[in-house]
Structures are given as C-alpha cells and as structure tokens.
C-alpha cells in the first residue's frame, strides 16, 4: 500500500487500525477506491475502464486476497 501513496480521503477513512476504506485522491493516481489492510500484501489493483475509479483491494489474510485474485482472473479477460 505504500506504493499507492494513500493520498487524501475524499469520502473515506483511514487510521482506524490498518484498515483504509472509501474514496481517496492523490496527485499521482487521481481518484480511486481503497478497500485494503495497509499492512497486508499483496494488493489487487482493478483498473476500471473509462472514468470509473480504480479499486485497490486486500485482506489481512494474504491467502484470501490471492483466492479473490484467482477468481477475478478466471472471469475477467486481460488487457
């Protein structure tokens, strides 16, 4: 999550433990949605088409994050 450069919460919250939820904005990434545990890796990045905000997702249990990624990868074409 450090690589994301958290930015400012525009309609989200952080600082409640390691949980970051909601809408955030940074100069580098623009507007995006975070549903992450800041001290957990890996983080899934969902690059949404058009003007839709990108989504970053992770769980405390890295195995759960990897399982969700595998499910998404099975149904969403690359590219």
């Amino acid at each position: 999550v450090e690589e994301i450069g958290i930015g400012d919460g525009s309609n989200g919250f952080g600082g409640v433990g390691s949980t970051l939820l909601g809408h955030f904005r940074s100069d580098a990434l623009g507007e995006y949605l975070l549903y992450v545990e800041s001290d957990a890796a890996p983080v899934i990045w969902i690059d949404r088409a058009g003007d839709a905000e990108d989504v970053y997702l992770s769980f405390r249990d890295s195995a759960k994050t990897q399982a969700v990624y595998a499910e998404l990868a099975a149904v969403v074409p690359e590219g």
Side-chain angles (χ1 to χ4, degrees):
V1 174
E2 290 177 17
E3 296 82 15
I4 296 172
I6 301 303
D8 299 318
S10 60
N11 187 14
F13 72 91
V16 179
S18 60
T19 302
L20 300 166
L21 297 172
H23 299 266
F24 288 78
R25 183 178 196 310
S26 77
D27 291 337
L29 299 175
E31 296 183 8
Y32 52 94
L33 293 170
L34 285 181
Y35 299 96
V36 300
E37 291 296 323
S38 63
D39 57 359
V43 174
I44 300 170
W45 169 33
I46 302 170
D47 183 9
R48 295 171 49 188
D51 291 334
E53 297 171 312
D54 288 355
V55 177
Y56 294 85
L57 172 69
S58 72
F59 301 95
R60 281 183 198 186
D61 179 0
S62 64
K64 182 174 181 178
T65 303
Q66 292 169 341
V68 168
Y69 177 81
E71 287 181 45
L72 289 171
V75 296
V76 177
E78 287 188 44

